[in-house]
Structures are given as structure tokens and as C-alpha cells.
Amino acid sequence: MNSFDIVIVGAGPAGAMAAYMAASRQVKVLIIEKEMLPRYKTCGGGLVFRGRNRLPFDISPVVEKTFNELEVFFEDASHYFLTKRTDPIITMVMRDGFDALLVEKAMEKGAHIRDKTQLNGLEETENGILLQTSAGEIRTRYLIAADGALSPTAKMAGWKESRTLIPALEYEVMVGKTDFERLSKKVRFDVDAVPHGYAWCFPKGNHLSLGVASMRKQKINLKAFYQDYLKKLNIREILSSTAHGFQIPIAPRTDGFSKGNVLLVGDAAGFADPLTAEGISNALYSGELAVNAILENFEHNQLTHVAYQNKLEEKLLPELKTSAIMAWVFYTQPSLRNLLLQKYGQKGCELLTDIFMGKKAFPENIKQRLKEKIPLLKFI
């Protein structure tokens, strides 16, 4: 069993979704994962409704909490917004359990999994790719790189770094009973709690996932801003705390998403949302698109490249471009942002909520719309 139609590197949402979609169509597919599953994965663990709604199976066994409302605060400003929906806006998961469930569902469809397996090299051949792994050689017609922000697979396949990676720091925190009861009722975002970024409070089943992120690449002492955030939340008792630093790619690669018989998905491609840094929903979506492109053009990899690019350009890439413009205003032009919030804040918050509920698309021609709202805005 060392020859496959598709091999996927990485057992996160992008890889597991790709495996599920391929196996559902009776394709011989293998996931290789360097860690032993289940494994801890640094992530806030907030799955927005449009991502959850993409999943063709129930994930309730791994749901920690669901939230039908969320709060957005702004540092040193009076702006405050609350949105509510009948469906859960955000579903909280721990990535070890969530990823393991996705892989299990893929295996039920016939996918193979080899964890504790490291990809050490790859070689393009006449009929596909020869992989050198810690478990021996594996042959595959197509390779999907779903190995996250660092993506050694992309480097092996010849990609240079062209994404924008931002720094983030996340803590899994056990707090006292009083603090947990007070903070576990709503999802909370605090914009500007970090310069050009935000902080978050994601309640889980018995603890809080707290984090801070800068939405631009910069040298910054995130630990200091995290300590300030604890004070802002008025947390009196910390029973235990585990820190995890990581990077989030919030701009897609500029040199394409496929080479030879290799396709990039999820964070390996740079598909996290530039405004919120949420990456799970686009990871799931891109994994699905990659498999569809492969299976529609299995015998012709050049057609696979074209098909994958076209599928990305139908929705995902335009949304990322629009979100990047919104993020530029939101995080780098605070005076302009505050003016817009004063006039359109709640309406805008409701629109973004609808987008991440999957009810609406990102607005088109965002540059022109901003110029119409603010005629003096010449620099966008």
C-alpha cells in the first residue's frame, strides 16, 4: 500500500477535508502526519458557522461550547458592538479532538492515515511524485500540501516565501470558578488591545483560550500585551496557564498555488482571513476545491492547475482581497476606522457576522464604496 492517487501532508482541517472528499469518491488517498494523533494544535479553536456548515457530518462530540452572540470592544474608545444570531456564530473546539474527528470521518470513507510519519523529500517523476518519508517511499499521482503556516512541503516543492505571516500568542488558561462563570458566557474580541491587532477571549468547556495577535508583521512583545489583557479582563485567579506562540499567514502566496503535481491548501497557501485571522473555514473550503480540481482533470496536471486557480478565483481569492482592504482600514487607519464605526458601526458588524455565518458575501468594489462614503479618501 505504498502507491496512492492522492497523498495529503497534514491532518488539519484542510488536509482532513481533502481526504474526506477524495475518499467519498472512491479515490485511493493517504494522509501523512508527522505527529501522533490526536495532537495538540495551537489555535484559538473558533469555528465560524460558515465553516461548520460546510462539514457534511455532525461534529457535536467535539464541540466545547457554542455562542449565538459575540462582543467587540475597542481600546480607549466608546465603540462597542454586540451581535446575535439564532444559529451559533462561533463553535468552540479544541483542535486535537476536532482534527482527529475529521480524520476519523475521512477514514470511514476509506482514506488511509499514517501518523508519526515525516516527509523528508519529494521528487517529480513521469507519472507523479515519489515521496521520501520516515516510513519509507510512497508514490502518488498528486500531492496536497496541508501542513500549515510553516509548510516544509511547499519549500520542498519549490515555493519561495511570499505570504504575510503575523505573530500571535495563545494561552490555554484555567481560572477560578468566579472568573470562569463571568467570562464564559460570551465570545469577546478587544480591538487595539494590541497595536494594529486585537485580543480574544474564547471560553471552552472548562477553561479559557486567551490570545493576542498583531495583524502586521512586526517585532512586538506580545507577552506584555497579554498581561495587560488579563488585567483588562479582571482575572483574579489563574490556576494554570500554557503559552503557545505561532504565526498566521494572512495574505495568499503571490507565486501560485500549484506546481507540477503539488497543490497548496489552507495556511500553506496563505488563506487565513486578513481581517480576523480566522483560518479554519477557508482551510476546509480550499481542501475541497483542490480535490475537485484534481478529480476533474486527473490525467492532465496542467488542466488541474488551471481548474484549481479558477475555483479559487470564483470566491475565495476575491474575498481575501476585499478583506485585506478592510483590514488595512481597520488596523492601520484608526481615525478613518473610527469615523466609519461612528456612522456605520453596528451595520458593519452585522454585515461581517452575516458573512461569517455564510449568509452574505463580502461586498464587491469595496474601494469604490469607501470613496463614495468618504470622497476625500484618495489614497486607497
Side-chain angles (χ1 to χ4, degrees):
M1 295 293 291
N2 284 323
S3 180
F4 296 86
D5 296 317
I6 301 174
V7 170
I8 299 161
V9 183
M17 186 65 166
Y20 179 91
M21 299 303 296
S24 296
R25 293 161 70 175
Q26 289 73 56
V27 172
K28 192 175 179 183
V29 59
L30 168 71
I31 304 173
I32 62 174
E33 164 62 46
K34 65 180 180 178
E35 306 289 346
M36 182 173 68
L37 296 175
R39 82 297 184 240
Y40 180 83
K41 180 68 174 179
T42 303
C43 178
L47 176 61
V48 296
F49 185 76
R50 72 172 184 174
R52 180 172 181 173
N53 209 33
R54 293 204 71 82
L55 294 168
F57 43 78
D58 179 34
I59 64 165
S60 57
V62 296
V63 171
E64 297 269 318
K65 278 180 176 290
T66 60
F67 293 91
N68 293 55
E69 58 183 72
L70 61 83
E71 295 180 306
V72 183
F73 296 84
F74 288 80
E75 192 80 2
D76 300 324
S78 59
H79 302 304
Y80 166 80
F81 303 101
L82 173 70
T83 62
K84 299 181 180 181
R85 295 295 185 272
T86 55
D87 291 316
I89 300 172
I90 297 183
T91 296
M92 293 299 166
V93 297
M94 293 298 294
R95 284 286 304 278
D96 53 355
F98 179 66
D99 292 4
L101 176 65
L102 299 188
V103 171
E104 178 186 327
K105 294 298 182 180
M107 292 175 66
E108 288 176 1
K109 291 293 183 179
H112 302 267
I113 176 73
R114 294 184 190 175
D115 59 359
K116 297 185 291 184
T117 300
Q118 177 83 39
L119 178 65
N120 296 322
L122 59 89
E123 178 186 349
E124 294 275 357
T125 68
E126 184 177 347
N127 297 315
I129 303 174
L130 177 63
L131 305 177
Q132 302 293 338
T133 80
S134 58
E137 291 186 347
I138 300 173
R139 293 185 179 275
T140 182
R141 185 59 180 270
Y142 285 93
L143 180 67
I144 295 178
D147 48 347
L150 299 180
S151 191
T153 306
K155 296 174 185 176
M156 293 178 197
W159 270 276
K160 304 299 182 183
E161 187 56 77
S162 58
R163 300 165 298 169
T164 299
L165 292 99
I166 60 162
L169 186 60
E170 184 232 3
Y171 289 75
E172 306 290 357
V173 185
M174 296 287 293
V175 298
K177 181 178 179 181
T178 300
D179 287 332
F180 184 72
E181 289 182 352
R182 175 173 56 85
L183 294 169
S184 64
K185 292 179 173 57
K186 294 178 184 176
V187 175
R188 171 173 177 159
F189 295 91
D190 288 81
V191 180
D192 296 339
V194 177
H196 306 286
Y198 68 92
W200 68 86
C201 177
F202 285 1
K204 301 295 178 63
N206 63 355
H207 73 283
L208 304 174
S209 287
L210 305 176
V212 287
S214 167
M215 298 301 287
R216 73 175 185 180
K217 188 175 182 179
Q218 61 176 322
K219 290 185 177 180
I220 186 170
N221 185 356
L222 287 178
K223 289 184 179 180
F225 289 104
Y226 171 72
Q227 292 298 326
D228 290 341
Y229 192 50
L230 292 179
K231 296 175 184 176
K232 176 178 285 294
L233 295 177
N234 198 25
I235 293 177
R236 298 179 179 85
E237 182 181 17
I238 295 179
L239 304 179
S240 66
S241 177
T242 306
H244 306 275
F246 61 116
Q247 297 183 86
I248 306 172
I250 58 164
R253 293 184 185 270
T254 60
D255 53 350
F257 309 102
S258 59
K259 291 179 187 290
N261 286 44
V262 182
L263 286 74
L264 306 183
V265 295
D267 280 351
F271 289 156
D273 181 79
L275 182 62
T276 65
E278 189 271 328
I280 299 177
S281 57
N282 280 343
L284 296 168
Y285 186 38
S286 61
E288 182 178 340
L289 294 182
V291 167
N292 288 341
I294 290 171
L295 298 188
E296 291 168 10
N297 306 275
F298 191 80
E299 300 298 332
H300 307 282
N301 67 352
Q302 290 301 321
L303 295 180
T304 298
H305 298 329
V306 174
Y308 187 40
Q309 185 68 28
N310 288 342
K311 291 176 186 296
L312 292 171
E313 289 178 354
E314 285 177 9
K315 180 182 177 184
L316 195 153
L317 292 178
E319 286 192 348
L320 291 179
K321 185 176 181 180
T322 298
S323 185
I325 295 171
M326 297 169 69
W328 179 82
V329 173
F330 206 78
Y331 295 112
T332 72
Q333 306 296 321
S335 297
L336 172 59
R337 179 202 66 195
N338 290 339
L339 175 62
L340 292 170
L341 288 174
Q342 186 175 349
K343 298 182 68 175
Y344 311 106
Q346 189 62 44
K347 184 178 179 181
C349 196
E350 298 293 342
L351 172 61
L352 284 174
T353 302
D354 283 341
I355 289 171
F356 290 108
M357 293 296 291
K359 306 297 184 183
K360 292 184 179 179
F362 274 95
E364 297 180 357
N365 301 319
I366 188 68
K367 288 185 180 181
Q368 185 60 36
R369 291 191 181 196
L370 284 170
K371 289 179 180 178
E372 289 172 357
K373 299 293 184 184
I374 307 174
L376 295 178
L377 194 57
K378 304 295 186 182
F379 45 84
I380 291 184

